[in-house]
């Protein structure tokens, strides 16, 4: 039984060594994109596809932007809006890739 346990531990250790950086990058990218969506809903006073009188403007797709992190550079989807400028309270406005 110990031999089987050691083998599984070794497999898991190798998986973590090989995949941790990539998995953490994916998790961070997903978290940042979800944060933008939550902030955008608050900014617009409406969820995606919701119509109401308090809505301030409308979504207009995304801009792919690069964000430098300690895990490396992430390509994130920064929301665009039709009127005005959307900025994230956490990271501010992301400059264009020019």
């Amino acid at each position: 039984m110990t031999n089987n346990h050691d083998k599984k531990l070794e497999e898991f250790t190798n998986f973590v060594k090989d995949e941790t950086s990539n998995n953490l990058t994916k998790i961070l990218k997903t978290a940042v994109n979800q944060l933008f969506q939550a902030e955008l809903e608050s900014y617009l006073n409406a969820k995606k596809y919701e119509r109401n009188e308090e809505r301030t403007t409308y979504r207009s797709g995304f801009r792919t932007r690069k964000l430098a992190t300690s895990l490396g550079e992430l390509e994130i989807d920064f929301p665009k809006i039709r009127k005005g400028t959307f900025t994230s309270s956490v990271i501010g406005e992301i400059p264009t890739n020019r």
Side-chain angles (χ1 to χ4, degrees), residues 56-97:
T56 56
T57 187
Y58 293 89
R59 298 166 187 261
S60 185
F62 299 93
R63 292 181 194 100
T64 300
R65 296 290 181 255
K66 293 183 179 181
L67 179 65
T69 72
S70 60
L71 295 174
E73 202 169 70
L74 296 179
E75 282 195 7
I76 56 171
D77 299 324
F78 197 73
K80 294 191 310 185
I81 57 175
R82 289 189 187 170
K83 293 180 184 176
T85 302
F86 171 69
T87 58
S88 169
S89 64
V90 174
I91 63 172
E93 186 175 6
I94 297 178
T96 59
N97 297 341

Short mmCIF file of all heavy atoms in Angstrom, two decimals, residues 56-97:
data_model
loop_
_atom_site.label_atom_id
_atom_site.label_comp_id
_atom_site.label_asym_id
_atom_site.label_seq_id
_atom_site.Cartn_x
_atom_site.Cartn_y
_atom_site.Cartn_z
N THR A 56 -26.64 52.86 -17.73
CA THR A 56 -25.93 54.07 -18.13
C THR A 56 -25.44 54.04 -19.57
O THR A 56 -25.35 55.08 -20.22
CB THR A 56 -24.73 54.33 -17.20
OG1 THR A 56 -23.88 53.18 -17.21
CG2 THR A 56 -25.20 54.61 -15.78
N THR A 57 -25.05 52.89 -20.07
CA THR A 57 -24.61 52.72 -21.45
C THR A 57 -24.62 51.22 -21.76
O THR A 57 -25.14 50.44 -20.97
CB THR A 57 -23.23 53.36 -21.72
OG1 THR A 57 -22.94 53.30 -23.12
CG2 THR A 57 -22.11 52.69 -20.95
N TYR A 58 -24.04 50.82 -22.86
CA TYR A 58 -24.09 49.42 -23.29
C TYR A 58 -22.70 48.87 -23.51
O TYR A 58 -21.75 49.60 -23.83
CB TYR A 58 -24.90 49.30 -24.58
CG TYR A 58 -26.35 49.63 -24.38
CD1 TYR A 58 -26.80 50.94 -24.51
CD2 TYR A 58 -27.25 48.64 -24.04
CE1 TYR A 58 -28.13 51.26 -24.30
CE2 TYR A 58 -28.58 48.94 -23.83
CZ TYR A 58 -29.01 50.25 -23.95
OH TYR A 58 -30.32 50.55 -23.72
N ARG A 59 -22.58 47.56 -23.39
CA ARG A 59 -21.32 46.86 -23.69
C ARG A 59 -21.03 46.98 -25.18
O ARG A 59 -21.94 47.09 -25.98
CB ARG A 59 -21.44 45.38 -23.33
CG ARG A 59 -21.70 45.11 -21.89
CD ARG A 59 -22.14 43.65 -21.69
NE ARG A 59 -22.55 43.44 -20.34
CZ ARG A 59 -21.77 42.88 -19.41
NH1 ARG A 59 -20.57 42.47 -19.72
NH2 ARG A 59 -22.21 42.74 -18.18
N SER A 60 -19.76 46.91 -25.50
CA SER A 60 -19.37 46.97 -26.90
C SER A 60 -18.17 46.06 -27.17
O SER A 60 -17.20 46.43 -27.80
CB SER A 60 -19.04 48.41 -27.27
OG SER A 60 -18.77 48.53 -28.65
N GLY A 61 -18.23 44.86 -26.63
CA GLY A 61 -17.16 43.89 -26.87
C GLY A 61 -16.00 44.02 -25.91
O GLY A 61 -16.14 44.51 -24.79
N PHE A 62 -14.83 43.58 -26.38
CA PHE A 62 -13.62 43.57 -25.56
C PHE A 62 -12.43 44.04 -26.36
O PHE A 62 -12.41 43.96 -27.58
CB PHE A 62 -13.31 42.13 -25.08
CG PHE A 62 -14.38 41.54 -24.25
CD1 PHE A 62 -15.37 40.76 -24.81
CD2 PHE A 62 -14.41 41.76 -22.89
CE1 PHE A 62 -16.37 40.20 -24.05
CE2 PHE A 62 -15.40 41.21 -22.11
CZ PHE A 62 -16.38 40.43 -22.69
N ARG A 63 -11.43 44.47 -25.64
CA ARG A 63 -10.10 44.72 -26.20
C ARG A 63 -9.17 43.71 -25.54
O ARG A 63 -9.19 43.56 -24.33
CB ARG A 63 -9.60 46.12 -25.84
CG ARG A 63 -10.33 47.24 -26.46
CD ARG A 63 -9.65 48.55 -25.99
NE ARG A 63 -10.51 49.67 -26.30
CZ ARG A 63 -11.30 50.29 -25.42
NH1 ARG A 63 -11.32 49.92 -24.17
NH2 ARG A 63 -12.05 51.28 -25.80
N THR A 64 -8.37 43.06 -26.32
CA THR A 64 -7.37 42.17 -25.73
C THR A 64 -6.20 43.04 -25.31
O THR A 64 -5.67 43.82 -26.10
CB THR A 64 -6.91 41.11 -26.74
OG1 THR A 64 -8.04 40.35 -27.13
CG2 THR A 64 -5.86 40.19 -26.14
N ARG A 65 -5.84 42.93 -24.05
CA ARG A 65 -4.75 43.73 -23.49
C ARG A 65 -3.77 42.81 -22.78
O ARG A 65 -4.12 41.72 -22.34
CB ARG A 65 -5.29 44.77 -22.50
CG ARG A 65 -6.17 45.80 -23.13
CD ARG A 65 -5.32 46.70 -24.02
NE ARG A 65 -6.11 47.71 -24.65
CZ ARG A 65 -6.47 47.70 -25.92
NH1 ARG A 65 -6.13 46.72 -26.70
NH2 ARG A 65 -7.17 48.70 -26.42
N LYS A 66 -2.56 43.28 -22.65
CA LYS A 66 -1.54 42.52 -21.93
C LYS A 66 -1.36 43.15 -20.55
O LYS A 66 -1.29 44.36 -20.41
CB LYS A 66 -0.24 42.52 -22.70
CG LYS A 66 -0.37 41.76 -24.00
CD LYS A 66 0.91 41.68 -24.75
CE LYS A 66 0.65 40.87 -26.03
NZ LYS A 66 1.83 40.71 -26.82
N LEU A 67 -1.33 42.29 -19.55
CA LEU A 67 -1.18 42.72 -18.17
C LEU A 67 0.03 42.01 -17.58
O LEU A 67 0.10 40.77 -17.59
CB LEU A 67 -2.45 42.36 -17.39
CG LEU A 67 -2.48 42.71 -15.92
CD1 LEU A 67 -2.45 44.24 -15.73
CD2 LEU A 67 -3.74 42.15 -15.28
N ALA A 68 1.00 42.77 -17.09
CA ALA A 68 2.20 42.19 -16.50
C ALA A 68 1.89 41.74 -15.08
O ALA A 68 1.33 42.50 -14.29
CB ALA A 68 3.33 43.20 -16.50
N THR A 69 2.22 40.49 -14.76
CA THR A 69 2.02 39.95 -13.41
C THR A 69 3.29 39.23 -12.99
O THR A 69 4.20 39.01 -13.80
CB THR A 69 0.85 38.95 -13.37
OG1 THR A 69 1.22 37.75 -14.04
CG2 THR A 69 -0.40 39.54 -13.99
N SER A 70 3.33 38.81 -11.74
CA SER A 70 4.49 38.05 -11.26
C SER A 70 4.55 36.66 -11.90
O SER A 70 5.59 36.01 -11.86
CB SER A 70 4.44 37.93 -9.74
OG SER A 70 3.27 37.25 -9.34
N LEU A 71 3.44 36.22 -12.50
CA LEU A 71 3.43 34.93 -13.20
C LEU A 71 3.77 35.08 -14.67
O LEU A 71 3.76 34.11 -15.41
CB LEU A 71 2.05 34.28 -13.08
CG LEU A 71 1.63 33.87 -11.68
CD1 LEU A 71 0.19 33.37 -11.68
CD2 LEU A 71 2.56 32.81 -11.12
N GLY A 72 4.01 36.30 -15.09
CA GLY A 72 4.28 36.57 -16.49
C GLY A 72 3.20 37.45 -17.08
O GLY A 72 2.32 37.94 -16.38
N GLU A 73 3.28 37.66 -18.36
CA GLU A 73 2.33 38.53 -19.05
C GLU A 73 1.04 37.76 -19.37
O GLU A 73 1.09 36.66 -19.89
CB GLU A 73 2.97 39.04 -20.34
CG GLU A 73 2.34 40.30 -20.86
CD GLU A 73 3.18 40.90 -21.98
OE1 GLU A 73 3.21 40.29 -23.06
OE2 GLU A 73 3.79 41.96 -21.75
N LEU A 74 -0.10 38.36 -19.02
CA LEU A 74 -1.40 37.74 -19.29
C LEU A 74 -2.10 38.51 -20.40
O LEU A 74 -2.06 39.74 -20.41
CB LEU A 74 -2.31 37.81 -18.07
CG LEU A 74 -1.93 37.07 -16.82
CD1 LEU A 74 -2.98 37.32 -15.74
CD2 LEU A 74 -1.81 35.60 -17.08
N GLU A 75 -2.75 37.81 -21.29
CA GLU A 75 -3.65 38.45 -22.26
C GLU A 75 -5.04 38.39 -21.66
O GLU A 75 -5.57 37.31 -21.42
CB GLU A 75 -3.61 37.75 -23.61
CG GLU A 75 -2.40 38.11 -24.42
CD GLU A 75 -2.53 37.72 -25.88
OE1 GLU A 75 -3.61 37.27 -26.30
OE2 GLU A 75 -1.53 37.87 -26.58
N ILE A 76 -5.61 39.56 -21.39
CA ILE A 76 -6.92 39.62 -20.77
C ILE A 76 -7.90 40.31 -21.70
O ILE A 76 -7.51 40.99 -22.64
CB ILE A 76 -6.85 40.35 -19.41
CG1 ILE A 76 -6.25 41.74 -19.59
CG2 ILE A 76 -6.07 39.55 -18.40
CD1 ILE A 76 -6.33 42.60 -18.39
N ASP A 77 -9.18 40.11 -21.41
CA ASP A 77 -10.26 40.71 -22.20
C ASP A 77 -10.80 41.90 -21.43
O ASP A 77 -11.58 41.73 -20.48
CB ASP A 77 -11.38 39.70 -22.46
CG ASP A 77 -10.90 38.50 -23.24
OD1 ASP A 77 -10.04 38.70 -24.12
OD2 ASP A 77 -11.38 37.39 -22.99
N PHE A 78 -10.38 43.10 -21.81
CA PHE A 78 -10.83 44.31 -21.12
C PHE A 78 -12.08 44.83 -21.81
O PHE A 78 -12.08 45.07 -23.01
CB PHE A 78 -9.73 45.37 -21.12
CG PHE A 78 -9.94 46.45 -20.11
CD1 PHE A 78 -9.75 46.20 -18.77
CD2 PHE A 78 -10.36 47.71 -20.50
CE1 PHE A 78 -9.95 47.19 -17.83
CE2 PHE A 78 -10.57 48.70 -19.57
CZ PHE A 78 -10.37 48.44 -18.23
N PRO A 79 -13.19 45.00 -21.06
CA PRO A 79 -14.46 45.39 -21.67
C PRO A 79 -14.43 46.79 -22.30
O PRO A 79 -13.78 47.70 -21.80
CB PRO A 79 -15.44 45.38 -20.49
CG PRO A 79 -14.76 44.62 -19.41
CD PRO A 79 -13.30 44.77 -19.63
N LYS A 80 -15.17 46.90 -23.39
CA LYS A 80 -15.39 48.21 -24.03
C LYS A 80 -16.87 48.56 -23.81
O LYS A 80 -17.71 47.69 -23.68
CB LYS A 80 -15.15 48.14 -25.54
CG LYS A 80 -13.73 47.88 -25.94
CD LYS A 80 -13.47 48.07 -27.42
CE LYS A 80 -14.42 47.39 -28.34
NZ LYS A 80 -14.07 47.51 -29.76
N ILE A 81 -17.14 49.86 -23.78
CA ILE A 81 -18.51 50.33 -23.68
C ILE A 81 -18.77 51.34 -24.79
O ILE A 81 -17.83 51.89 -25.36
CB ILE A 81 -18.82 50.95 -22.30
CG1 ILE A 81 -17.86 52.09 -21.98
CG2 ILE A 81 -18.78 49.87 -21.23
CD1 ILE A 81 -18.16 52.81 -20.68
N ARG A 82 -20.03 51.56 -25.11
CA ARG A 82 -20.37 52.45 -26.23
C ARG A 82 -20.08 53.92 -25.92
O ARG A 82 -19.57 54.65 -26.75
CB ARG A 82 -21.83 52.29 -26.61
CG ARG A 82 -22.10 50.98 -27.30
CD ARG A 82 -23.48 50.94 -27.85
NE ARG A 82 -23.78 49.61 -28.36
CZ ARG A 82 -24.95 49.23 -28.72
NH1 ARG A 82 -25.99 50.06 -28.66
NH2 ARG A 82 -25.14 48.00 -29.16
N LYS A 83 -20.47 54.37 -24.74
CA LYS A 83 -20.27 55.78 -24.37
C LYS A 83 -19.44 55.85 -23.11
O LYS A 83 -19.68 55.13 -22.15
CB LYS A 83 -21.61 56.47 -24.11
CG LYS A 83 -22.48 56.61 -25.31
CD LYS A 83 -23.77 57.30 -24.94
CE LYS A 83 -24.72 57.37 -26.12
NZ LYS A 83 -26.01 57.95 -25.73
N GLY A 84 -18.46 56.75 -23.08
CA GLY A 84 -17.64 56.93 -21.89
C GLY A 84 -16.45 56.00 -21.87
O GLY A 84 -16.11 55.37 -22.86
N THR A 85 -15.83 55.94 -20.71
CA THR A 85 -14.63 55.12 -20.52
C THR A 85 -14.82 54.25 -19.29
O THR A 85 -15.15 54.74 -18.22
CB THR A 85 -13.39 56.02 -20.31
OG1 THR A 85 -13.25 56.88 -21.43
CG2 THR A 85 -12.14 55.20 -20.15
N PHE A 86 -14.61 52.96 -19.46
CA PHE A 86 -14.67 52.03 -18.33
C PHE A 86 -13.27 51.85 -17.78
O PHE A 86 -12.33 51.61 -18.53
CB PHE A 86 -15.24 50.68 -18.77
CG PHE A 86 -15.13 49.63 -17.71
CD1 PHE A 86 -15.90 49.71 -16.56
CD2 PHE A 86 -14.25 48.58 -17.84
CE1 PHE A 86 -15.80 48.76 -15.57
CE2 PHE A 86 -14.15 47.62 -16.86
CZ PHE A 86 -14.93 47.70 -15.72
N THR A 87 -13.14 52.00 -16.47
CA THR A 87 -11.87 51.73 -15.79
C THR A 87 -12.12 50.76 -14.65
O THR A 87 -13.17 50.80 -14.02
CB THR A 87 -11.22 53.02 -15.24
OG1 THR A 87 -12.12 53.62 -14.33
CG2 THR A 87 -10.88 53.99 -16.34
N SER A 88 -11.16 49.92 -14.40
CA SER A 88 -11.26 48.97 -13.30
C SER A 88 -10.77 49.64 -12.03
O SER A 88 -9.73 50.29 -12.02
CB SER A 88 -10.40 47.74 -13.61
OG SER A 88 -10.29 46.94 -12.46
N SER A 89 -11.51 49.47 -10.94
CA SER A 89 -11.09 50.07 -9.67
C SER A 89 -9.85 49.38 -9.12
O SER A 89 -9.13 49.95 -8.32
CB SER A 89 -12.22 49.99 -8.65
OG SER A 89 -12.54 48.64 -8.36
N VAL A 90 -9.59 48.18 -9.58
CA VAL A 90 -8.43 47.44 -9.09
C VAL A 90 -7.16 47.80 -9.85
O VAL A 90 -6.12 48.06 -9.26
CB VAL A 90 -8.69 45.92 -9.19
CG1 VAL A 90 -7.44 45.13 -8.81
CG2 VAL A 90 -9.85 45.54 -8.32
N ILE A 91 -7.24 47.86 -11.17
CA ILE A 91 -6.03 48.13 -11.96
C ILE A 91 -6.11 49.37 -12.81
O ILE A 91 -5.17 49.70 -13.52
CB ILE A 91 -5.65 46.92 -12.84
CG1 ILE A 91 -6.73 46.65 -13.86
CG2 ILE A 91 -5.35 45.70 -12.02
CD1 ILE A 91 -6.35 45.62 -14.88
N GLY A 92 -7.21 50.11 -12.76
CA GLY A 92 -7.34 51.32 -13.55
C GLY A 92 -7.62 51.01 -15.00
O GLY A 92 -8.01 49.91 -15.35
N GLU A 93 -7.40 51.99 -15.85
CA GLU A 93 -7.62 51.78 -17.29
C GLU A 93 -6.36 51.15 -17.88
O GLU A 93 -5.24 51.57 -17.58
CB GLU A 93 -7.92 53.10 -17.98
CG GLU A 93 -8.29 52.93 -19.43
CD GLU A 93 -8.72 54.25 -20.08
OE1 GLU A 93 -8.62 55.28 -19.44
OE2 GLU A 93 -9.13 54.19 -21.24
N ILE A 94 -6.56 50.16 -18.70
CA ILE A 94 -5.42 49.49 -19.32
C ILE A 94 -5.12 50.20 -20.63
O ILE A 94 -5.99 50.37 -21.48
CB ILE A 94 -5.72 48.00 -19.58
CG1 ILE A 94 -5.95 47.31 -18.24
CG2 ILE A 94 -4.59 47.34 -20.33
CD1 ILE A 94 -6.30 45.87 -18.36
N PRO A 95 -3.88 50.67 -20.79
CA PRO A 95 -3.55 51.38 -22.02
C PRO A 95 -3.64 50.49 -23.25
O PRO A 95 -3.55 49.27 -23.15
CB PRO A 95 -2.11 51.85 -21.80
CG PRO A 95 -1.59 50.99 -20.70
CD PRO A 95 -2.76 50.51 -19.90
N THR A 96 -3.81 51.10 -24.41
CA THR A 96 -3.88 50.34 -25.64
C THR A 96 -2.53 49.76 -26.00
O THR A 96 -1.50 50.24 -25.54
CB THR A 96 -4.36 51.24 -26.80
OG1 THR A 96 -3.44 52.32 -26.93
CG2 THR A 96 -5.74 51.78 -26.55
N ASN A 97 -2.53 48.72 -26.82
CA ASN A 97 -1.28 48.06 -27.25
C ASN A 97 -0.73 48.78 -28.46
O ASN A 97 -0.77 48.29 -29.57
CB ASN A 97 -1.54 46.60 -27.61
CG ASN A 97 -2.01 45.78 -26.43
OD1 ASN A 97 -1.83 46.17 -25.30
ND2 ASN A 97 -2.62 44.66 -26.70
#
